[in-house]
């Protein structure tokens, strides 16, 4: 459990970093982006939504993780949830690890592309979201059948 | 795969939650094993059997497994 506690602390740091990155992106978009590249409305909306989502998600995770650090019962629940063999099997069957990494890569690429080209940005964004949706559907399906 | 887990639980008045906590899985996993949706791994089957003080064969029914 002590090893898992260190994992949770690492996750807290990662979530904190994500919040900082999100806030940094918003500041960059508000004050510096226009001087670097001509902004497009759709890309601006996407970046705003992406950063807001990133910050809210990271803050929620951070809240849960810090609560778990103080509450041993919640820590045990997180530990069991993380290591439950059925959940691991569902994630593996749905291809969640691969889908998660490739979707994140696509969404981040879309974020960069939003500064450069509207068509590339839309294509990457749609592909990333579609892949995430597929992952969610598969996970839901296998969680009902397993 | 059929199991005797519900019978053993009732005999010992153990809830799914208690069993799940004892063997280190979620309650949903125990439910899935009981209804036959999920086949437990060997280490988990061993933990469950040991919890009830039985052998794996006494807890899990292997009759439908092909020879």
């Amino acid at each position: 459990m002590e090893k898992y506690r260190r994992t949770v602390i690492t996750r807290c740091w990662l979530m904190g970093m994500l919040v900082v990155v999100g806030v940094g992106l918003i500041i960059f978009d508000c004050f510096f982006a226009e001087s670097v590249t001509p902004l497009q409305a759709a890309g601006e909306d996407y970046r705003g939504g992406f950063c807001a989502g990133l910050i809210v998600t990271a803050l929620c995770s951070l809240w849960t993780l810090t609560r778990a650090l103080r509450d041993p019962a919640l820590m045990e629940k997180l530990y069991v949830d993380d290591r439950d063999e059925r959940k691991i099997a569902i994630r593996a069957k749905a291809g969640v690890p691969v889908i998660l990494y490739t979707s994140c890569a696509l969404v981040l690429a879309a974020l960069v592309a939003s500064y450069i080209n509207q068509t590339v940005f839309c294509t990457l964004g749609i592909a990333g979201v579609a892949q995430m949706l597929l992952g969610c559907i598969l996970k839901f399906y296998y969680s009902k059948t397993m | 795969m059929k199991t005797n887990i519900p019978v053993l639980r009732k005999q010992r008045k153990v809830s799914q939650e208690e069993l799940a906590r004892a063997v280190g899985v979620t309650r949903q996993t125990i439910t899935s094993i009981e209804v036959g949706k999920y086949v437990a791994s060997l280490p988990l089957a061993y933990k469950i059997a040991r919890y009830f003080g039985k052998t794996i064969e006494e807890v899990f029914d292997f009759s439908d497994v092909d020879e």
Side-chain angles (χ1 to χ4, degrees):
Chain A
M1 193 57 90
E2 194 50 46
K3 197 177 169 190
Y4 186 67
R5 196 180 170 81
R6 281 200 295 275
T7 309
V8 170
I9 291 169
T10 311
R11 283 181 192 171
C12 283
W13 278 105
L14 282 173
M15 290 304 136
M17 276 164 63
L18 278 183
V19 173
V20 172
V21 167
V23 172
L25 276 173
I26 287 176
I27 292 170
F28 175 76
D29 235 23
C30 288
F31 301 107
F32 307 108
E34 229 165 334
S35 59
V36 178
T37 175
L39 293 177
Q40 290 150 333
E44 229 175 314
D45 293 344
Y46 173 79
R47 285 191 299 274
F50 177 85
C51 293
L54 188 75
I55 292 167
V56 170
T57 312
L59 281 176
C60 287
S61 299
L62 194 62
W63 182 66
T64 312
L65 293 170
T66 47
R67 231 162 40 106
L69 284 173
R70 285 191 297 261
D71 182 359
L74 186 61
M75 176 73 97
E76 197 185 320
K77 192 178 173 297
L78 276 184
Y79 181 80
V80 169
D81 271 354
D82 252 19
R83 279 162 176 70
D84 182 56
E85 63 170 51
R86 181 176 150 270
K87 285 193 175 177
I88 291 171
I90 288 169
R91 281 197 287 264
K93 252 189 156 180
V96 168
V98 175
I99 286 179
L100 189 72
Y101 293 134
T102 49
S103 298
C104 284
L106 283 171
V107 167
L108 284 173
L111 187 81
V112 176
S114 69
Y115 290 105
I116 304 159
N117 187 304
Q118 184 86 23
T119 313
V120 177
F121 150 66
C122 284
T123 312
L124 288 171
I126 290 167
V129 171
Q131 214 178 33
M132 275 185 197
L133 272 175
L134 180 71
C136 287
I137 291 166
L138 283 174
K139 205 175 162 188
F140 179 75
Y141 172 74
Y142 285 119
S143 66
K144 291 289 163 199
T145 54
M146 274 179 79
Chain B
M1 183 185 281
K2 288 174 191 163
T3 74
N4 294 323
I5 296 174
V7 180
L8 291 165
R9 274 198 310 105
K10 270 175 197 152
Q11 277 174 1
R12 282 151 209 253
K13 292 181 179 140
V14 175
S15 68
Q16 285 185 336
E17 187 72 53
E18 285 167 328
L19 174 61
R21 198 173 294 164
V23 296
V25 293
T26 58
R27 189 190 53 76
Q28 291 92 326
T29 300
I30 298 295
T31 310
S32 288
I33 293 169
E34 283 187 2
V35 298
K37 274 186 181 176
Y38 177 69
V39 179
S41 69
L42 185 58
L44 179 59
Y46 173 71
K47 280 184 193 172
I48 293 170
R50 198 175 57 174
Y51 178 80
F52 289 116
K54 304 263 182 193
T55 60
I56 291 178
E57 288 91 338
E58 284 172 316
V59 179
F60 295 91
D61 180 8
F62 292 95
S63 60
D64 57 348
V65 177
D66 292 335
E67 291 290 322

